[in-house]
Amino acid sequence: DPYATGQSGTTTQIMSGRRDITKSRQFLQELRLASDFDGRFNFLLGANYYDYKTDLDVIITHPTLTARARARGFSSAFDNFLIESHPRRAESYGVFGEGYLDLTESTRLTTGVRYSNDRKSIQTRQIFLDPIAGGAVRPFTTGKESWGVVTGRVVLDHKFNDNVLGYASVSRGYKAGGLNPGGPAGGLSFDPEYLIAAEAGLMSTLLDGALRANLAAFYYDYDGLQIGQVGTASAITVNTDARIFGAEAELIYQPTEALRLDLT
């Protein structure tokens, strides 16, 4: 049944296909309150809520799958490679705030903090030439995970003059873990991803505006970096650690209206 229409046929060709059939709905709401005082201090407060639910079927057809299933006496339920997730749900809420303090007329300190709470659940199974006792299809696997994490950042920026701004920042970021569809042998759930990021740089406009020069150095330290891993019969998300560091420069020189030179 290469087109998944309910009409089976015989072929001598390699007629394969993949269909991802999904039905989903989502809701997102965010509220913010920001101040605009004349003094040295201002703030931002906020909260958000997110709810997502989906049903997903992945159907992969190939004549060799059907032929192998029939040769082994399996039922037609094993003619295709199927991943079913009914349902998958993610629910998240967060509260956050930032404060902005002018230490001097030229120096500003920004501090922020956020609490994130994520809950995920799944009911899923994978069907791939693997009947259980009596030739039946494997039952659904269910999983549920939740995480509550505090993150934040600190930024210091300083205007050396009207044309040169320097800054330095340190922040901690977070991406929620999750649940792999299909309930693969590699593991149903994967962990959150955390990032410590540090950056410092200069942004400047020189030569009466003809030259823009931006310089930066950065360092990223990942704990539990989420990456895709392709196996024999599935693709899942797994965790690893990583470090990235480097520097970058952006120079834009426009001596005349007709000539511009870019170097990055």
Side-chain angles (χ1 to χ4, degrees):
D1 185 8
Y3 302 108
T5 60
Q7 301 296 320
S8 299
T10 302
T11 179
T12 57
Q13 301 177 356
I14 302 299
M15 299 178 66
S16 63
R18 169 174 172 160
R19 289 153 206 84
D20 291 62
I21 304 171
T22 182
K23 179 183 179 181
S24 62
R25 60 115 177 112
Q26 62 179 346
F27 174 82
L28 173 65
Q29 179 67 55
E30 179 166 299
L31 302 173
R32 294 192 179 198
L33 174 67
S35 69
D36 188 17
F37 300 138
D38 294 331
R40 296 169 55 190
F41 178 76
N42 277 284
F43 65 86
L44 170 70
L45 300 175
N48 56 23
Y49 174 78
Y50 175 71
D51 186 21
Y52 177 75
K53 183 179 180 181
T54 182
D55 293 305
L56 172 67
D57 292 299
V58 178
I59 308 169
I60 299 176
T61 59
H62 198 287
T64 56
L65 287 176
T66 307
R68 179 59 63 89
R70 299 295 172 85
R72 293 186 175 183
F74 298 163
S75 71
S76 60
F78 299 92
D79 283 357
N80 306 314
F81 174 29
L82 303 176
I83 296 178
E84 300 175 309
S85 298
H86 304 150
R88 298 165 64 189
R89 187 173 185 184
E91 190 177 21
S92 174
Y93 70 86
V95 291
F96 54 89
E98 273 195 340
Y100 315 100
L101 176 63
D102 294 330
L103 300 177
T104 68
E105 291 185 357
S106 303
T107 306
R108 166 174 284 193
L109 176 67
T110 301
T111 58
V113 64
R114 175 186 174 93
Y115 173 75
S116 302
N117 186 284
D118 293 277
R119 297 186 294 272
K120 295 187 178 182
S121 61
I122 194 171
Q123 178 174 272
T124 186
R125 67 180 174 185
Q126 178 176 291
I127 303 173
F128 184 55
L129 299 176
D130 57 350
I132 58 177
V137 174
R138 292 182 177 274
F140 281 94
T141 298
T142 60
K144 183 182 295 185
E145 295 284 352
S146 61
W147 304 271
V149 175
V150 176
T151 56
R153 70 173 187 147
V154 177
V155 183
L156 183 68
D157 57 74
H158 176 74
K159 289 183 179 180
F160 294 95
N161 54 52
D162 291 339
N163 299 315
V164 180
L165 172 70
Y167 66 92
S169 69
V170 177
S171 60
R172 181 179 189 246
Y174 152 81
K175 183 163 63 174
L179 299 160
N180 285 305
L188 179 63
S189 64
F190 53 92
D191 294 330
E193 174 183 300
Y194 300 95
L195 170 64
I196 300 295
E199 182 172 342
L202 289 172
M203 305 176 69
S204 61
T205 302
L206 307 171
L207 303 180
D208 294 327
L211 174 64
R212 292 208 307 268
N214 300 325
L215 308 173
F218 56 89
Y219 176 82
Y220 296 159
D221 187 353
Y222 286 94
D223 180 13
L225 176 68
Q226 297 170 5
I227 61 172
Q229 185 178 77
V230 179
T232 304
S234 64
I236 63 174
T237 300
V238 297
N239 297 96
T240 189
D241 295 334
R243 292 183 177 88
I244 302 172
F245 60 89
E248 59 186 12
E250 179 186 31
L251 304 174
I252 302 174
Y253 180 50
Q254 189 165 0
T256 70
E257 292 185 359
L259 177 63
R260 171 171 150 164
L261 304 174
D262 292 70
L263 174 64
T264 57

